[in-house]
Amino acid sequence: MLTGEADLMTRAHTTPQATTAGTAFTTALIRLTQHVEQVFGEVGRERGLTPQQAHVLCHLVDGPIGMADLSRRLHLEKSSVTGLVDRVERRGLVARVRDDRDRRAYRVALTDEGSRLACETHEAVNQRLERLAADLAPAERDGLVATILRALPPPP
Amino acid sequence: MLTGEADLMTRAHTTPQATTAGTAFTTALIRLTQHVEQVFGEVGRERGLTPQQAHVLCHLVDGPIGMADLSRRLHLEKSSVTGLVDRVERRGLVARVRDDRDRRAYRVALTDEGSRLACETHEAVNQRLERLAADLAPAERDGLVATILRALPPPP
DNA sequence: TATTGTTATACTCTATAACTATA
DNA sequence: TATAGTTATAGAGTATAACAATA
């Protein structure tokens, strides 16, 4: 059975609600998401990192972050972050540094080696994702960004 | 150090390459991706499914799929799909059915219970993702979809 | 030979619950 | 009391390598 775009558009006129096939919008979103994850996967694997480790390193590029903050940004439980950080620390890419102001807290910071790898990873991810915008005029691009940010719930 | 859009645009004139902060475009993309994954996670958890299981069920809504095809669509190794299907099969949500034309192949099909859960999950994911387009005019929405599909590499 | 799918193995990832220590 | 973080545990997810059966 063929279910191309024409079919989707035709049905959109008869039954406005999505039934089982989903809308073109959600389908596009989900495919986009898969692509982004695949980019993290490939870029990571080329450097001996899991996709999740690549994510963590990219978050640390802007400076050290506490575990709780990392947990919020990655939408993971604290204990999951503990394990994630354990593994990249074991590989010498990050270090836990005590927070001066709050003696309960650590700040996760990139080591020299981690910093190199993180920047490289961050660069590569950005380059590959930038390709998606290659055909867009600057105005279209800005509009797209604005649209996405407006639609997304505010960061925690 | 402030790195808002103005700064990004300024720097774009002096150094066209992103350095460590990434572009507004990639940042938006990555946040969008996180949100989509979170939706699959929440919708799944409310129904006792992992995010990956929710993905699988959603892919099966349109009809039975072979393991190799599932592997390509999910961008996973064959053996990973075997495990994934094992677990949803153990829960009675899908069944492996022998392919008539190719005696090596199985087709993974939803059971009655699996079908109910899959439709429900699919609906819920779509509803939540549709909210992102709530503010968009139909033309904007169509343009966005077209932009995404044009930018994405063709499905395998 | 190539493809479909599985098994065995070794990790990584993740959440839940219970805990310590500091605020 | 609330927050920052860890440990213990159990299960899920994933890739690699080697394999069987069919095309």
Side-chain angles (χ1 to χ4, degrees), chain A residues 50 52 77 79-80 87 102-104:
Chain A
T50 65
Q52 293 85 353
E77 289 299 318
S79 60
S80 303
R87 287 181 289 272
D102 186 340
R103 286 159 56 203
R104 298 170 300 180

Side-chain angles (χ1 to χ4, degrees), chain A residues 52-113:
Chain A
Q52 293 85 353
Q53 291 169 353
H55 269 289
V56 169
L57 293 194
C58 285
H59 273 281
L60 293 176
V61 160
D62 294 327
I65 306 181
M67 300 291 284
D69 205 0
L70 214 41
S71 169
R72 279 184 290 269
R73 295 203 205 185
L74 298 170
H75 300 290
L76 293 174
E77 289 299 318
K78 303 181 295 180
S79 60
S80 303
V81 178
T82 295
L84 219 41
V85 171
D86 280 349
R87 287 181 289 272
V88 284
E89 185 174 37
R90 197 187 309 150
R91 288 168 63 163
L93 303 177
V94 308
R96 284 170 165 93
V97 183
R98 275 289 181 197
D99 190 323
D100 292 331
R101 307 175 197 175
D102 186 340
R103 286 159 56 203
R104 298 170 300 180
Y106 290 107
R107 315 200 66 200
V108 183
L110 291 166
T111 61
D112 288 350
E113 184 190 348

Side-chain angles (χ1 to χ4, degrees), chain A residues 36 40 122-133 141 145 148, chain B residues 8 18 21-33:
Chain A
V36 173
F40 273 96
H122 193 250
E123 278 293 322
V125 167
N126 276 321
Q127 274 187 23
R128 296 221 203 173
L129 292 183
E130 279 294 336
R131 287 181 205 161
L132 294 181
R141 185 195 165 94
V145 171
I148 293 173
Chain B
L8 283 171
T23 67
F25 176 70
T26 58
T27 301
L29 264 194
I30 291 170
R31 282 193 44 207
L32 179 60
T33 294

Side-chain angles (χ1 to χ4, degrees), chain B residues 50-106:
Chain B
T50 66
Q52 293 85 352
Q53 291 170 352
H55 269 289
V56 170
L57 293 194
C58 285
H59 273 281
L60 293 176
V61 160
D62 294 328
I65 306 180
M67 300 292 284
D69 205 0
L70 214 41
S71 169
R72 279 184 290 269
R73 294 203 206 186
L74 298 169
H75 301 290
L76 293 174
E77 288 299 318
K78 303 180 294 181
S79 60
S80 303
V81 177
T82 295
L84 217 42
V85 170
D86 280 349
R87 287 182 289 274
V88 285
E89 186 173 36
R90 197 188 308 150
R91 289 169 63 165
L93 303 177
V94 309
R96 284 170 165 93
V97 183
R98 276 288 180 198
D99 190 323
D100 293 331
R101 307 175 198 175
D102 186 340
R103 286 160 55 204
R104 297 170 299 179
Y106 289 107

Side-chain angles (χ1 to χ4, degrees), chain A residues 6-16:
Chain A
D7 183 53
L8 284 172
M9 298 193 69
T10 303
R11 204 184 43 224
H13 284 267
T14 55
T15 61

